[in-house]
Every structure is written in C-alpha cells, then in structure tokens.
Amino acid sequence: GFAYFGVGIWLLGTVVVPIVTLPLRLRGRSEDARSRRTQHAAHWFFRSFVGWMQRVVRVGDVEWVNEQALAGGPLLLVANHPSLIDTP
C-alpha cells in the first residue's frame, strides 16, 4: 500500500498533472480550470488506490450510509485519525 501510494503520488505530481494541465496552460486558461483538472486527476488516483486496497490487498471495505446526503453539494470529509491509509 505504501509503495502504491508513494509511487502513485510521485507520478501524479511529476508526470500526470503537468501533462493534463499543459493544454490548458497553452490555451491561456485560468488557474481555476487548471486546478479543477488537477483535482480530477487526484480524484482518479485516490479512487484507484482505494479500489486496489479493497480488491487486491483486501484490507477494508467501503459501506455507504445515507449516500443521498452526499448529493447536496460541496462537502468536506475529515478522517478521524490521519494516516496514509485514512487520507484517501
């Protein structure tokens, strides 16, 4: 898990984000547009990490309780004890 996360974050920051934001920079798009594209790339990586931890390593399971409450708009989710596994 630590290797997947560490290598993945390194690749995300040094390879993926510069590549996915390059077209926006070349077109002179706003910082906000580049930030949204970066957030989307990070979201994709964290989803893959959690999926890998669930399906391959089998260290946990995700259960959605009252998922309708998440559809209301922007949210801030906070882990109750931050660690490498809790953060994604």
Side-chain angles (χ1 to χ4, degrees):
F2 286 105
Y4 187 102
F5 191 82
V7 171
I9 287 295
W10 179 80
L11 285 172
L12 187 69
T14 60
V15 177
V16 175
V17 169
I19 289 173
V20 300
T21 58
L22 180 63
L24 299 176
R25 266 186 272 149
L26 293 175
R27 293 183 198 143
R29 298 300 277 284
S30 69
E31 180 67 31
D32 189 46
R34 293 192 308 261
S35 177
R36 282 193 306 272
R37 181 77 56 96
T38 301
Q39 289 173 12
H40 182 71
H43 171 78
W44 175 85
F45 169 71
F46 287 128
R47 259 184 96 109
S48 74
F49 176 72
V50 170
W52 182 78
M53 292 296 283
Q54 283 182 282
R55 289 183 216 100
V56 176
V57 182
R58 297 201 175 277
V59 295
D61 192 21
V62 174
E63 178 183 348
W64 294 98
V65 177
N66 193 16
E67 64 187 82
Q68 299 84 3
L70 298 175
L75 300 169
L76 175 64
L77 299 177
V78 180
N80 61 353
H81 55 287
S83 71
L84 180 63
I85 304 302
D86 290 342
T87 304

